[in-house]
Amino acid sequence: MARTETTIDRFGRVLIPKKLRRELGLDAGTRMRLQVGGEVGETPLREIEGVLVDTGKLEGDPDKVLDEVHAERLHRLGGVG
């Protein structure tokens, strides 16, 4: 995946570029969960070679999450799910 750069606008919104949204399969209305945790001053976000990278640990079962996302998309498209 190519590197992509974006900024936070004055309203606190982050625009995910169209090419990246397509690569990730993100559509308007896709729900995303943001989580802040850890000690004050600690964050899993690190700038590496000019790119902000999430270095946190994966929580939960990724296969289950992908199955849930797939079922939700099928449902939205009018398929079985």
Side-chain angles (χ1 to χ4, degrees), residues 10 37 72:
R10 65 186 180 129
E72 179 181 325

Side-chain angles (χ1 to χ4, degrees), residues 1 16 19-27 32 73:
M1 191 179 309
I16 301 172
K19 182 178 178 184
L20 183 57
R21 290 193 314 265
R22 272 188 276 170
E23 286 180 26
L24 297 174
L26 301 175
D27 300 315
M32 298 177 72
R73 288 191 180 170

Side-chain angles (χ1 to χ4, degrees), residues 33 57-65:
R33 183 180 306 159
K57 295 180 182 176
L58 179 62
E59 293 182 15
D61 179 1
D63 290 328
K64 181 179 177 185
V65 171

Side-chain angles (χ1 to χ4, degrees), residues 1-57:
M1 191 179 309
R3 291 184 180 186
T4 302
E5 187 174 304
T6 191
T7 58
I8 298 174
D9 73 11
R10 65 186 180 129
F11 300 106
R13 297 175 296 201
V14 176
L15 175 68
I16 301 172
K18 186 175 186 176
K19 182 178 178 184
L20 183 57
R21 290 193 314 265
R22 272 188 276 170
E23 286 180 26
L24 297 174
L26 301 175
D27 300 315
T30 298
R31 294 184 339 217
M32 298 177 72
R33 183 180 306 159
L34 304 176
Q35 181 176 333
V36 178
E39 297 295 321
V40 174
E42 285 185 19
T43 178
L45 296 177
R46 301 280 184 263
E47 186 172 329
I48 300 174
E49 296 181 17
V51 176
L52 196 58
V53 177
D54 183 345
T55 60
K57 295 180 182 176

